[in-house]
């Protein structure tokens, strides 16, 4: 019988270590912190007995998945490991029911031995701004010392995004966790793999910079659902097969200087006692000390409009090859197994060459240099930023935290200010030169869009502490509404019951507030969470919900009026991800309601939700706009700008940009669409002529928030926390 914990689940039952008051465990080994003897000395004489598994995707609605999970955990219980490490995607889409189903599947004997990291499936559709995964899995960076080994568990996921990112705090905690390990061998566990051809983690080089000071022998990862062994920068990496697909896990046994890895697979889950055991490899966990002899000491870039020149200097005399490739910005949160590397010429310490770069956008770019020594120590990889040509940036302002929410423009004195906020809770008012005119602090992180209200003289700021703030144009607070749950959704506004209303969701609760007073007009419980912006037509409120449907509510009372499904998928998970869960609803001038899921966009009748027209394509992420002539402008996930007749849904024109367009969307100004890609490429599409011109790549950090026209510029923000004012064409 499974023992149920009242407060801690199996994944968080292990105590963590660290300084008092720290949110992340690092500092000294657990035994030392409790006054007990130190863990076994890393001499190679102690025997280790670990298990690694990943991608269980627990879903109590999926009997096949649950059967595989039960069979694997049963086999692991028979093995009786000292520690079980889970590489993330514990659940299918991060619901309480899924976490509890995983918890119920864990045998008593393993309950105090499991540690985990979250994966993108815990984060992508999380309406609690990490509160839920912290409750069920743990804080972002934690350690566990076992058998003379320091296991470091690190979360690189990004709030409601597929792309991963090492936050400054996570990098600091990682550095301290490894520094505190002293001579203990280290194993790192993250969900996303890193290395050659991997673009899951957008700032991988910052991670490599930390590891250059603290080399780590073994990195265990999940996510790809494939077994793959790689080695880069003196670090071995094991990508695990998925429990959900293969009913497989890995036993890590032996000594620190000879850790044997065995894949254990259950071909027939109806007979879980019959397993297939396959030796995979052997690792040496003894730490390598000192600087890397083959990591480039200097990389100098140059060249002309057609090519990028490279000069690479290594620390010492070298035998092997050096090559390079441009960073593949077309890949979003994925991998490229077929990168084209260009050999550099040279000998001993100096190598040089050039790369074809005629199609490279001006602005911020990256090149990757690969060193392949003959001594069998494995490849080295270095990612180097460089700027190409005139960046086309009028000004930039850096904030303290990460930026995921769109800025908002407000009227101020005789002009305008741009209000922007970040994950530290910092809110700034910037003038048209980028100069800060005022700043204030809100209680929680700001991860969603700001919204201009009150005739352009106030701005709504949602935070993850559960507050919705209305700030005046001078930064003073007009009111603050407490939802007692994180605001992890974009707000919307519109007329309701004769007053201007602000609408936003905290989880599955929709709040409609009077803009003038902050008083709630009504609240209503939805059948699932919603993270997109609602809209209203004065009589009704429309919003996309995580049950796969668009919902219409009575504007006076919040009473449900109609529901229209945008997907034929079945099951909670499939309906959530294919539906309009984060779509910003648009109400057209003629009353039509535009809503989009993954597969297509719909125009619905406001009175009953019936279909006016339907347009195939993934239009869910970017917000729509209407031209001065009344045409509807939309953007597909693949990066196409589509002009549509709003009455019939007939496509009028389609223009392809170079990269994917997601939440960052586009800004429509004077007949020109300024579209931003996930990797910061800003492209101008002239609707009248169809001309397309790449303006600049504003950053090497992901751009995840919609932009805004401001003065003579269009402004976009990046995840690293920088505001970029791009000169208009």
């Amino acid at each position: 019988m499974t023992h149920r914990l009242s407060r801690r689940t199996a994944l968080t039952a292990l105590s963590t270590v660290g300084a008092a008051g720290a949110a992340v465990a690092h500092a000294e080994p657990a035994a030392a912190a409790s006054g007990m003897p130190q863990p076994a000395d890393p001499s190679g004489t102690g025997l280790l007995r670990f298990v690694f598994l990943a991608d269980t995707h627990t879903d109590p609605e999926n009997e096949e998945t649950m059967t595989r999970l039960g069979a694997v955990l049963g086999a692991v219980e028979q093995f009786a490991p000292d520690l079980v490490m889970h590489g993330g995607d514990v659940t299918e889409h991060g619901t309480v029911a899924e976490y509890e189903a995983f918890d119920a599947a864990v045998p008593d004997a393993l309950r105090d031995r499991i540690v985990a990291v979250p994966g993108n499936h815990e984060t992508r559709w999380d309406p609690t701004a990490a509160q839920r995964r912290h409750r069920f899995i743990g804080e972002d960076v934690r350690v566990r010392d076992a058998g003379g080994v320091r296991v470091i568990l690190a979360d690189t996921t990004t709030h409601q995004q597929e792309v991963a990112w090492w936050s400054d705090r996570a990098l600091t905690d990682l550095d301290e966790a490894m520094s505190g390990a002293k001579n203990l061998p280290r194993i790192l566990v993250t969900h996303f793999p890193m290395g050659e051809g991997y673009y899951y983690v957008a700032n991988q080089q910052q991670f490599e910079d930390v590891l250059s000071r603290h080399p780590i022998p073994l990195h265990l990862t999940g996510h790809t659902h494939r077994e793959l062994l790689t080695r880069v920068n003196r670090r071995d990496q094991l990508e695990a097969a998925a429990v959900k697909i293969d009913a497989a896990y890995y036993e890590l046994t032996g000594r620190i200087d000879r850790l044997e890895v065995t894949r254990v697979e259950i071909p027939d889950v109806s007979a879980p006692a019959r397993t297939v055991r396959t030796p995979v490899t052997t690792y040496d966990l003894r730490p390598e000390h000192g600087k890397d002899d083959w990591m480039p000491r200097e990389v100098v870039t140059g060249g002309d409009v057609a090519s990028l020149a490279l000069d690479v200097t290594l620390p010492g005399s070298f035998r092997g090859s050096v090559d390079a490739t441009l960073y593949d910005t077309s890949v979003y949160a994925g991998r490229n197994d077929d990168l084209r590397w260009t050999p550099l010429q040279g000998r001993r310490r100096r190598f040089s060459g050039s790369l074809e770069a005629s199609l490279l956008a001006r602005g911020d770019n990256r090149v990757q240099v690969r060193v392949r020594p003959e001594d069998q120590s494995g490849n080295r990889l270095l990612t180097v930023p460089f700027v190409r040509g005139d960046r086309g940036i009028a000004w930039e302002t850096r904030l303290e935290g990460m930026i995921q929410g769109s800025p908002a423009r407000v009227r101020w004195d005789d002009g305008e200010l741009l209000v922007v906020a970040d994950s530290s809770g910092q809110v700034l008012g910037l003038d048209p030169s980028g100069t800060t005119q005022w700043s204030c602090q809100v209680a929680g992180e700001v991860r969603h869009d700001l919204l201009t209200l009150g005739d352009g003289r106030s701005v709504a700021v949602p935070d993850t502490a559960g507050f919705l703030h209305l700030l005046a144009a001078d930064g003073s607070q007009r009111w603050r509404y407490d939802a007692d749950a994180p605001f992890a959704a974009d707000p919307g506004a519109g007329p309701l019951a004769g007053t201007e209303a602000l609408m936003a969701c905290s989880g599955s609760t929709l709040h409609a507030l009077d803009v003038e007073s902050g008083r709630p007009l009504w609240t209503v419980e939805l059948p699932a969470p919603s993270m997109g912006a609602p809209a209203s037509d004065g009589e009704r409120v429309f919003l996309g919900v995580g049950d796969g449907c668009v919902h219409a509510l009575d504007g006076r009372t919040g009473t449900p009026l109609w529901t229209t499904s945008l997907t034929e998928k079945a099951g909670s998970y499939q309906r959530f991800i294919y539906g309009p869960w984060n779509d910003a609803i648009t109400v057209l001038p003629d009353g039509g309601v535009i809503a989009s899921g993954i597969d297509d966009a719909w125009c619905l009748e406001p009175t009953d939700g019936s279909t006016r027209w339907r347009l195939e394509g993934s239009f869910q992420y970017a917000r729509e706009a209407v031209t001065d002539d009344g045409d509807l402008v939309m953007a597909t996930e693949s990066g196409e700008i589509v002009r549509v007749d709003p009455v019939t849904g007939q496509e009028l024109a389609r223009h392809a940009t170079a990269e994917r367009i997601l939440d960052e969307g586009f800004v429509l100004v004077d007949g020109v669409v300024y579209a931003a890609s996930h990797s910061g490429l800003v492209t101008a599409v002239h609707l009248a002529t169809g001309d397309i011109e790449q303006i600049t790549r504003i950053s090497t950090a992901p751009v995840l928030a919609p932009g805004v026209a401001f003065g003579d510029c269009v402004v976009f923000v990046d995840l690293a926390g920088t505001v970029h004012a791009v000169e208009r064409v």
Side-chain angles (χ1 to χ4, degrees):
M1 182 176 178
T2 302
H3 169 66
R4 301 307 304 274
L5 300 181
S6 60
R7 296 188 64 187
R8 283 190 173 274
T9 64
L11 292 175
T12 57
L14 290 175
S15 61
T16 55
V17 295
V24 176
H26 42 72
E28 296 300 322
S34 62
M36 297 174 65
Q38 290 280 347
D41 184 82
S43 61
T45 59
L47 294 180
L48 302 176
R49 196 173 181 85
F50 294 165
V51 159
F52 179 60
L53 53 84
D55 295 282
T56 51
H57 292 268
T58 306
D59 182 357
E61 298 177 16
N62 188 323
E63 182 178 353
E64 186 177 357
T65 295
M66 296 306 297
T67 301
R68 286 196 179 103
L69 173 63
V72 166
L73 291 177
V76 172
E77 180 185 21
Q78 293 300 312
F79 176 64
D82 297 322
L83 187 65
V84 180
M85 299 167 284
H86 194 307
D89 281 357
V90 177
T91 64
E92 195 67 285
H93 68 305
T95 66
V96 171
E98 291 170 352
Y99 280 115
E100 290 180 342
F102 180 87
D103 191 46
V106 175
D108 284 343
L110 298 179
R111 183 158 294 278
D112 63 348
R113 306 181 193 182
I114 300 181
V115 292
V117 295
N120 54 299
H121 279 249
E122 277 75 60
T123 305
R124 183 71 172 106
W125 307 281
D126 177 18
T128 72
Q131 289 186 11
R132 185 177 296 160
R133 74 175 183 269
H134 287 167
R135 170 189 164 198
F136 283 99
I137 293 179
E139 297 293 336
D140 292 348
V141 178
R142 291 160 292 129
V143 303
R144 181 65 179 179
D145 296 331
V149 175
R150 167 152 290 192
V151 177
I152 303 170
L153 302 117
D155 177 8
T156 58
T157 60
T158 304
H159 174 71
Q160 293 181 7
Q161 293 290 332
E162 290 290 337
V163 70
W165 182 262
W166 285 97
S167 68
D168 290 344
R169 176 177 171 180
L171 288 170
T172 298
D173 290 329
L174 177 67
D175 185 89
E176 292 181 9
M178 292 193 289
S179 297
K182 302 189 185 301
N183 291 324
L184 287 178
R186 312 174 190 110
I187 295 176
L188 175 66
V189 182
T190 69
H191 181 60
F192 298 98
M194 287 170 262
E196 296 174 29
Y198 293 100
Y199 300 93
Y200 303 109
V201 183
N203 60 339
Q204 180 177 306
Q205 186 57 50
Q206 291 178 262
F207 161 78
E208 298 291 356
D209 292 342
V210 173
L211 263 60
S212 69
R213 301 187 295 273
H214 310 287
I216 199 159
L218 180 58
H219 184 192
L220 303 177
T221 76
H223 188 64
T224 59
H225 296 193
R226 65 175 182 176
E227 180 183 297
L228 185 67
L229 283 66
T230 54
R231 180 172 174 81
V232 66
N233 295 349
R234 300 189 293 178
R235 177 179 73 254
D236 287 305
Q237 180 172 272
L238 168 62
E239 297 171 47
V243 171
K244 175 183 178 178
I245 297 173
D246 297 310
Y249 69 94
Y250 298 84
E251 295 174 355
L252 286 68
T253 59
R255 304 183 310 178
I256 286 170
D257 61 345
R258 186 174 176 80
L259 185 67
E260 298 179 356
V261 179
T262 303
R263 172 174 168 149
V264 182
E265 189 168 350
I266 305 171
D268 182 359
V269 292
S270 66
R274 285 182 250 168
T275 61
V276 176
R277 302 175 58 82
T278 306
V280 175
T281 191
T282 300
Y283 291 123
D284 186 345
L285 298 186
R286 290 174 296 181
E288 293 189 53
H289 299 288
K291 291 185 176 180
D292 188 344
D293 290 337
W294 305 138
M295 182 61 72
R297 175 179 293 174
E298 183 181 48
V299 176
V300 178
T301 62
D304 53 30
V305 294
S307 64
L308 174 70
L310 290 172
D311 288 298
V312 178
T313 303
L314 301 178
S317 184
F318 170 74
R319 296 186 63 181
S321 62
V322 179
D323 45 20
T325 187
L326 294 172
Y327 191 93
D328 190 351
T329 56
S330 69
V331 179
Y332 174 76
R335 67 177 188 261
N336 183 345
D337 295 331
D338 300 308
L339 283 175
R340 297 178 60 182
W341 294 89
T342 299
L344 303 183
Q345 304 302 314
R347 58 188 296 272
R348 297 174 67 87
R349 298 180 58 209
R350 300 290 298 274
F351 290 80
S352 61
S354 63
L355 306 181
E356 162 63 34
S358 59
L359 299 180
L360 195 66
R362 65 173 177 165
D364 292 6
N365 291 279
R366 284 178 280 187
V367 63
Q368 293 186 307
V369 176
R370 182 176 65 175
V371 178
R372 297 190 287 176
E374 293 180 353
D375 63 7
Q376 306 301 310
S377 64
N379 295 349
R380 301 331 192 249
L381 182 70
L382 180 68
T383 303
V384 181
F386 66 95
V387 175
R388 182 175 176 83
D390 177 10
R391 296 181 66 228
I393 302 292
W395 54 263
E396 292 175 321
T397 299
R398 180 68 187 266
L399 275 70
E400 296 175 0
M402 298 177 283
I403 308 179
Q404 283 189 253
S406 172
R409 196 174 63 233
V410 294
R411 295 167 59 189
W412 182 70
D413 289 343
D414 295 328
E416 290 184 320
L417 289 183
L418 186 74
V419 182
V420 62
D422 68 9
S423 62
S424 74
Q426 180 187 33
V427 185
L428 298 183
L430 307 177
D431 68 19
S433 70
T435 302
T436 300
Q437 294 298 319
W438 55 259
S439 66
C440 66
Q441 189 76 25
V442 297
E445 300 179 358
V446 180
R447 295 284 189 171
H448 286 267
D449 294 348
L450 311 188
L451 185 63
T452 304
L453 297 167
D455 195 28
R457 294 191 178 276
S458 58
V459 59
V461 181
D463 76 25
T464 60
F467 296 107
L468 194 52
H469 309 261
L470 189 70
L471 304 181
D474 62 1
S476 61
Q477 183 164 279
R478 290 185 52 188
W479 51 256
R480 186 177 79 167
Y481 174 77
D482 185 359
D484 199 32
F487 278 105
D490 295 331
L496 283 184
T499 186
E500 184 181 13
L502 173 64
M503 301 160 288
C505 283
S506 59
S508 58
T509 303
L510 174 62
H511 306 259
L513 310 177
D514 176 71
V515 168
E516 183 62 30
S517 66
R519 176 180 57 85
L521 300 172
W522 46 261
T523 61
V524 65
E525 286 300 314
L526 304 169
S530 173
M531 289 83 153
S536 77
D537 63 0
E539 297 180 28
R540 292 161 289 256
V541 174
F542 310 99
L543 75 163
V545 179
D547 62 349
C549 300
V550 177
H551 291 249
L553 311 174
D554 186 288
R556 295 165 299 174
T557 64
T559 303
L561 298 176
W562 53 257
T563 299
T564 297
S565 177
L566 299 195
T567 178
E568 297 178 355
K569 299 290 185 179
S572 299
Y573 167 61
Q574 293 287 321
R575 290 194 63 78
F576 200 115
I577 68 171
Y578 280 91
W581 63 277
N582 70 337
D583 184 49
I585 303 295
T586 296
V587 177
L588 296 173
D590 68 356
V593 178
I594 303 294
S596 302
I598 290 296
D599 292 330
D600 39 30
W602 303 57
C603 182
L604 305 176
E605 286 288 350
T607 54
D608 60 8
S610 59
T611 304
R612 286 187 178 179
W613 52 260
R614 182 176 173 182
L615 183 63
E616 184 177 349
S618 182
F619 294 95
Q620 179 177 7
Y621 299 105
R623 295 181 182 233
E624 299 83 18
V626 177
T627 69
D628 292 339
D629 296 331
D631 291 342
L632 181 65
V633 180
M634 310 171 75
T636 67
E637 180 182 351
S638 61
E640 295 171 309
I641 303 300
V642 183
R643 191 159 52 89
V644 175
D645 183 328
V647 176
T648 65
Q650 180 182 355
E651 181 180 313
L652 303 175
R654 184 176 291 249
H655 313 281
T657 65
E659 296 177 354
R660 290 174 69 179
I661 299 174
L662 299 169
D663 296 322
E664 59 277 3
F666 62 87
V667 180
L668 175 60
V669 187
D670 296 334
V672 179
V673 171
Y674 296 87
S677 76
H678 62 87
S679 61
L681 177 63
V682 178
T683 302
V685 178
H686 298 261
L687 295 179
T689 63
D691 292 341
I692 300 173
E693 57 180 308
Q694 291 183 359
I695 300 177
T696 187
R697 190 177 303 281
I698 61 175
S699 178
T700 58
V703 176
L704 305 176
V708 63
F710 184 53
D712 295 328
C713 301
V714 288
V715 175
F716 289 97
V717 295
D718 68 35
L719 188 58
T722 301
V723 183
H724 308 267
V726 180
E727 297 167 348
R728 286 158 52 182
V729 295

